[in-house]
Amino acid sequence: MALLSFSRSFTLLSSPFHFFSSRSIRRRRSFVCSLSTATDVRSRSAVLWFKHDLRLDDHPALSAAETHRFVLPLYVFDRRSLCRYSDDMLELLLFALEDLRNSLKEQGSNLMIRYGCAENVIKELVKEVKATDVFIEEEVEYEMRQLIGVVKKTLETSSSLDWNLDIVMWRTPFYDVKNLKELPASYNDFKEQKLLPTSPLLPATLPVVETELDWGPLPTFSDLKEFIKEKLGKPEESWNLMKEMPAEVLLKENLSNSSETIPKSLNDKSIEQRRRDKSVFVTRKGDVVGGGTNTLLNALAAYLRYLEGTARDDWQEVHERLRNAETREGASFTSLFGPALCLGIISRRRVHYEAIKYEKERNAGFLSPFGYSAASVAAAADAVCSMEWFWLLALKSQVSNEGLYSIRIWRWRGHLIQYTVVGLEGPAILLVHGFGAFLEHYRDNINAIAEHGNHVWGITLLGFGQSEKPNIVYTELLWAEMLRDFIIEVVGEPVHLVGNSIGGYFVSIVASLWPSLVKSVILMNTAGNVIPEFSSHRFTSERQTSAAARLGAQLLLFYLRLNIRNTLKNFYPTKTNRADDWLINEMLRASYDPGVTVVLESIFSFDLSIPLNYLLEGYEEKVLILQGMKDPLLDSKAKLAMLKEHCTGLAIRELDAGNKPFYPQNNLS
C-alpha cells in the first residue's frame, strides 16, 4: 500500500499525512493519491469510522476528509470491542460520544450511532451514501486488527458496490518515523535520533450535512450494559463479574472470613450533581478525567499548573485528585488521564504540545536541557512519550515478522501487553515468566508443548520485555489481576497455569482467588514461602515508595547491565548456552525502556507473606512442583522439604537445572 500525499497547496495538512495508506478495493492495486486540486476530492464522499479517536482536535483523518463533498462520521457499538471495556470505560465512552456528537452538530454535521457488527453496518452505510472513501484508524491490538480485517474483507467482497471504494488507513504521527521496520529496538538508540514530536492539527471543520439521515440515539449506560450482555452466556457473565472485585478485597475477605466492601470513592457526588458543577470527573467513581476534548484540555491546564494554585473550583478539584493519585512521583497523570487517552478524547501529541507550551511560559520561552521546571509537566510529557514508544514497538511487531513467535497485542487497563499463542486446540496452558524476563524465556518449551496437543499461551507481564512499563505502583496483586483478566478476555477458558520464579507466586494467587479459572498449577522454582499452620494474616495493600527504593533500583539496574551475561549463566548452570546473545541483547534492550526503574522498585516492596501452602489449598493432586536443584536464588532442598511436609497431594520433580525454564517437554505435560 502506498502513502496518501498532499500537494503544497494544502500546507496545513502536508506534514502529518505520510502515515496515510490507501487502497482501492475495486481496482485491487496500491496507488498514490495526490490531492493537487480541490475538485479532485469535492466529488468524493466518505465514511469515517470512529473507534479510539473520539475527538475533532488533532485528527488527521478528519482534516483529510473535510475537503470531501460529504462526510459521514460513524460510531458502531459492536459487542466484540465493547466487551473489553470496564464499566468506568463505558461511562467515559458515552460522555465522549455525547460531546463529539454535540461538537459535530455545531458544525452542521452529526455523529451516526449504530449497533451490531461493524462490517455489516459499514457496508450498508457505504452503499446508502455511495461513499468513495472509508477512513479507518490503524490499531495495534490483535482483536481490533482482526476486526478491521473483517471490515476490509467484507467491503472487498461485496457484490453490491459497483464503484471504486478506497480504504484509507491512518494514524496520528507523534514522531516523524519514516519506516517502522527501521525503528531501533532500543529506546536509547531511538533517543539518539533526536526526533522531535510533531505539531498537533487544529480541529477540522466538516461539510454541512444536507441529507436526511437516521443518526440513531445514544444509549444510556444501563441500555448499553444490556446490549453487551445479550449475547453472553451465564459463564461469561460470571467471569466478567470477577474483574470488578479487586484481588485485595478478596484476599482480605478470605483471610479474615468476613465480608469486605470496596472502598468508596473520594467523590461521593452523583453524576448529575457533578455535571451541574461542571466537574471533569464524570464517572460514578469520580477518579478519572472524562468528558469531551475541551473538558480534557481544561483539566490538563489545571494539572500542569498545580504549583501555581488556583481559586477556580474545577481546577481545585483536579489538584485534589492529583494529590490522591500520586502514589509515586508522576503516577497521577496516567491515573487521571490514561483512560481518556486510551479512548482518544485527546491525542498524545496534544498533551505533549500543551505541556511544552506551558513549560516555555514558565521559562521565558526556553526549555532547559536539565529537565522540566515543574513535576506535573515532567509527568505529562514523560508519560505520553513513553506511551508513544511502546505503541511504536507494538505496531512494529504487528507489521514485521521479526522474533521467535508471532506477537499479538492485548490492551489491559490502557496498557499494551505482548503475548503469543501456539496450537489451535487442546487444553489451554498459560506460561508465566519470572521477574525481569518475558515470554521468550519459554522459547524452548512453547512449540514442544503445543505439538503434544495443547493450546499454549505465553504472556509478557506488564513492566517487562516489550510490554508497556507505565509509571504505577507494581504489586504481586496487580500482576495476579492481570493474569485473571487475560484468562477471561483473551484465553476464554480455564487454563493450566505454569509459573516460573516470582511468576509462580502470581500464578498461585490466581489459583487461590479465582479457582474457576484454573485447572491445575505447575510451579517452576517458584517464589513464596511455606508457613506451617498458617490460618490468618493482617494483609495490607499499602506500598510505600521511597528515595532508598529508587536509589536501590538504579544501582540494581546498573549492576545487571554490567553483569547480565554472568547472571544469566548462573540461572542456566547446566545449559549455559541458553544465555545466548539474543537473550542477553533483548534483556539489555528492555533495561533501557522508559519506566524500567519504576518496575525494579517493586522488588523492595513485594509482599510474599501469604504462604504457598495457603494459596494452594484445594488443589490436591493438581499441583506439580518442578525444582531446579541448582537454583542460585534459594536452598532447593530446604524448600522442597517444607513443601513435602506441609502441602498435601503435590507432585514434585527434582531437576538438574537452574532457575530459568529450560526443561524437557515431558516435565510440563
Side-chain angles (χ1 to χ4, degrees):
M1 292 186 291
L3 304 176
L4 182 62
S5 59
F6 293 77
S7 71
R8 293 191 179 185
S9 62
F10 288 83
T11 54
L12 175 65
L13 305 180
S14 59
S15 62
F17 290 102
H18 60 270
F19 284 94
F20 272 87
S21 62
S22 177
R23 65 174 173 176
S24 169
I25 66 173
R26 279 304 175 200
R27 290 188 291 270
R28 304 292 177 90
R29 63 183 178 86
S30 299
F31 71 101
V32 175
C33 178
S34 179
L35 303 186
S36 57
T37 63
T39 55
D40 290 335
V41 291
R42 283 298 179 187
S43 61
R44 301 178 72 87
S45 57
V47 172
L48 197 153
W49 179 21
F50 282 97
K51 302 188 308 299
H52 297 131
D53 53 322
L54 306 181
R55 62 185 186 273
L56 300 186
D57 177 73
D58 193 24
H59 198 296
L62 280 173
S63 296
E66 66 180 347
T67 56
H68 285 53
R69 173 186 58 82
F70 172 79
V71 179
L72 179 66
L74 169 69
Y75 187 87
V76 183
F77 285 101
D78 190 317
R79 292 184 183 88
R80 290 169 294 182
S81 56
L82 294 174
C83 65
R84 303 170 301 123
Y85 289 157
S86 65
D87 285 356
D88 287 345
M89 287 295 286
L90 289 175
E91 288 182 289
L92 287 178
L93 171 65
L94 291 176
F95 281 112
L97 290 174
E98 180 183 22
D99 182 88
L100 181 59
R101 170 172 270 189
N102 290 336
S103 298
L104 286 166
K105 282 182 176 179
E106 290 174 2
Q107 298 184 1
S109 183
N110 206 330
L111 177 66
M112 180 163 283
I113 302 295
R114 289 291 183 267
Y115 303 81
C117 295
E119 62 271 22
N120 296 330
V121 169
I122 294 174
K123 182 185 72 172
E124 292 304 315
L125 287 174
V126 165
K127 182 179 178 182
E128 181 178 351
V129 303
K130 295 190 180 301
T132 55
D133 298 287
V134 177
F135 287 87
I136 305 175
E137 184 184 22
E138 189 165 15
E139 302 277 359
V140 295
E141 299 166 69
Y142 176 77
E143 295 298 335
M144 291 302 298
R145 290 177 70 87
Q146 291 293 103
L147 178 57
I148 291 172
V150 171
V151 170
K152 287 182 178 180
K153 185 175 181 180
T154 300
L155 293 175
E156 289 172 354
T157 57
S158 175
S159 59
S160 61
L161 303 180
D162 56 3
W163 62 90
N164 291 328
L165 175 64
D166 298 330
I167 299 175
V168 186
M169 301 300 301
W170 67 275
R171 57 184 185 266
T172 305
F174 191 99
Y175 296 110
D176 188 10
V177 178
K178 301 294 184 183
N179 187 345
L180 268 176
K181 292 185 177 181
E182 296 177 0
L183 181 77
S186 168
Y187 188 62
N188 239 21
D189 295 338
F190 178 72
K191 288 191 297 182
E192 288 180 1
Q193 294 184 348
K194 297 182 179 179
L195 298 178
L196 297 176
T198 56
S199 298
L201 300 172
L202 295 175
T205 302
L206 296 183
V208 174
V209 176
E210 298 176 350
T211 306
E212 289 294 328
L213 295 170
D214 176 13
W215 294 97
L218 267 174
T220 64
F221 176 76
S222 57
D223 289 341
L224 185 55
K225 289 287 288 184
E226 286 301 315
F227 171 74
I228 295 172
K229 289 180 180 178
E230 280 180 11
K231 299 296 183 180
L232 295 179
K234 288 186 177 180
E236 292 172 305
E237 283 191 48
S238 64
W239 276 26
N240 283 329
L241 288 175
M242 293 183 193
K243 297 189 295 184
E244 299 178 11
M245 183 68 73
E248 172 195 344
V249 174
L250 278 176
L251 197 53
K252 286 182 177 179
E253 180 179 337
N254 292 348
L255 290 170
S256 63
N257 295 318
S258 63
S259 178
E260 288 274 351
T261 58
I262 300 176
K264 291 184 178 180
S265 168
L266 293 169
N267 192 346
D268 57 359
K269 295 180 181 178
S270 66
I271 294 178
E272 292 75 15
Q273 181 63 45
R274 288 201 292 274
R275 295 189 72 172
R276 286 194 295 269
D277 294 343
K278 297 183 178 179
S279 172
V280 298
F281 297 93
V282 293
T283 64
R284 286 174 295 177
K285 288 184 179 179
D287 55 357
V288 296
V289 176
T293 303
N294 289 334
T295 301
L296 265 292
L297 286 171
N298 178 55
L300 178 62
Y303 182 91
L304 295 173
R305 291 160 177 79
Y306 174 73
L307 293 179
E308 296 181 9
T310 181
R312 293 177 52 171
D313 290 343
D314 55 342
W315 283 23
Q316 285 181 357
E317 186 179 26
V318 173
H319 293 175
E320 178 189 358
R321 295 295 180 274
L322 185 160
R323 290 188 291 271
N324 294 327
E326 195 76 347
T327 51
R328 52 162 288 109
E329 185 178 353
S332 56
F333 178 80
T334 301
S335 177
L336 297 180
F337 292 88
L341 281 163
C342 183
L343 289 174
I345 303 171
I346 189 172
S347 70
R348 293 189 290 272
R349 69 175 177 180
R350 172 61 72 183
V351 170
H352 189 271
Y353 176 84
E354 296 297 330
I356 297 305
K357 184 174 73 171
Y358 174 62
E359 178 69 8
K360 289 180 177 179
E361 290 174 4
R362 287 175 56 86
N363 295 282
F366 295 98
L367 290 177
S368 169
F370 304 106
Y372 299 110
S373 62
S376 55
V377 172
D382 291 346
V384 293
C385 287
S386 176
M387 290 175 188
E388 184 66 17
W389 166 247
F390 287 107
W391 190 89
L392 287 171
L393 277 183
L395 187 58
K396 180 182 178 181
S397 72
Q398 302 305 287
V399 300
S400 64
N401 295 317
E402 299 176 1
L404 301 175
Y405 303 100
S406 63
I407 295 296
R408 298 181 179 183
I409 303 297
W410 170 54
R411 190 182 291 274
W412 182 67
R413 298 183 181 177
H415 309 304
L416 301 177
I417 307 299
Q418 285 199 336
Y419 71 96
T420 192
V421 57
V422 179
L424 300 176
E425 58 184 15
I429 297 176
L430 175 56
L431 306 175
V432 182
H433 60 79
F435 198 89
F438 33 86
L439 68 87
E440 285 89 356
H441 275 247
Y442 287 101
R443 64 196 188 280
D444 298 309
N445 305 109
I446 293 178
N447 283 325
I449 301 172
E451 287 168 1
H452 282 69
N454 298 297
H455 200 185
V456 185
W457 304 79
I459 186 170
T460 298
L461 297 173
L462 185 72
F464 301 106
Q466 292 193 29
S467 288
E468 199 164 340
K469 300 172 180 62
N471 186 0
I472 60 175
V473 177
Y474 293 86
T475 70
E476 65 285 346
L477 295 186
L478 176 86
W479 279 305
E481 288 177 346
M482 178 188 170
L483 292 174
R484 172 201 65 191
D485 294 350
F486 184 79
I487 297 170
I488 293 172
E489 295 181 19
V490 182
V491 180
E493 62 177 302
V495 300
H496 299 276
L497 274 174
V498 181
N500 173 234
S501 192
I502 192 66
Y505 193 74
F506 303 157
V507 159
S508 300
I509 294 175
V510 175
S512 177
L513 298 183
W514 304 286
S516 63
L517 303 180
V518 181
K519 288 184 174 181
S520 69
V521 177
I522 300 175
L523 304 179
M524 302 190 301
N525 296 65
T526 183
N529 300 313
V530 175
I531 302 177
E533 300 179 0
F534 178 88
S535 59
S536 63
H537 177 73
R538 185 177 293 278
F539 180 82
T540 177
S541 61
E542 294 296 325
R543 306 298 169 94
Q544 298 296 327
T545 59
S546 64
R550 287 192 289 274
L551 177 60
Q554 292 168 356
L555 292 174
L556 179 59
L557 183 60
F558 179 74
Y559 172 82
L560 290 175
R561 285 174 180 166
L562 289 179
N563 297 277
I564 184 65
R565 187 176 297 273
N566 290 334
T567 301
L568 275 179
K569 286 184 176 180
N570 287 336
F571 287 154
Y572 293 99
T574 61
K575 294 286 184 179
T576 55
N577 63 315
R578 300 315 299 146
D580 55 18
D581 289 342
W582 181 90
L583 182 60
I584 290 168
N585 289 335
E586 181 56 26
M587 295 192 75
L588 283 173
R589 186 218 62 78
S591 75
Y592 289 99
D593 276 343
V596 70
T597 54
V598 178
V599 184
L600 285 177
E601 282 182 35
S602 64
I603 289 178
F604 302 97
S605 60
F606 275 145
D607 184 354
L608 307 184
S609 57
I610 310 300
L612 293 171
N613 51 303
Y614 175 85
L615 294 173
L616 297 176
E617 283 182 2
Y619 284 89
E620 290 77 9
E621 313 301 330
K622 295 182 179 180
V623 177
L624 170 62
I625 304 292
L626 298 177
Q627 184 63 46
M629 301 308 291
K630 295 179 180 178
D631 187 345
L633 298 181
L634 52 82
D635 184 339
S636 297
K637 290 184 178 180
K639 180 74 169 281
L640 290 183
M642 292 294 289
L643 286 168
K644 290 176 181 177
E645 182 177 357
H646 300 288
C647 298
T648 59
L650 301 185
I652 297 177
R653 295 184 186 177
E654 300 180 9
L655 303 175
D656 183 26
N659 178 269
K660 292 304 176 188
F662 181 76
Y663 302 128
Q665 186 275 334
N666 60 357
N667 283 321
L668 296 178
S669 300

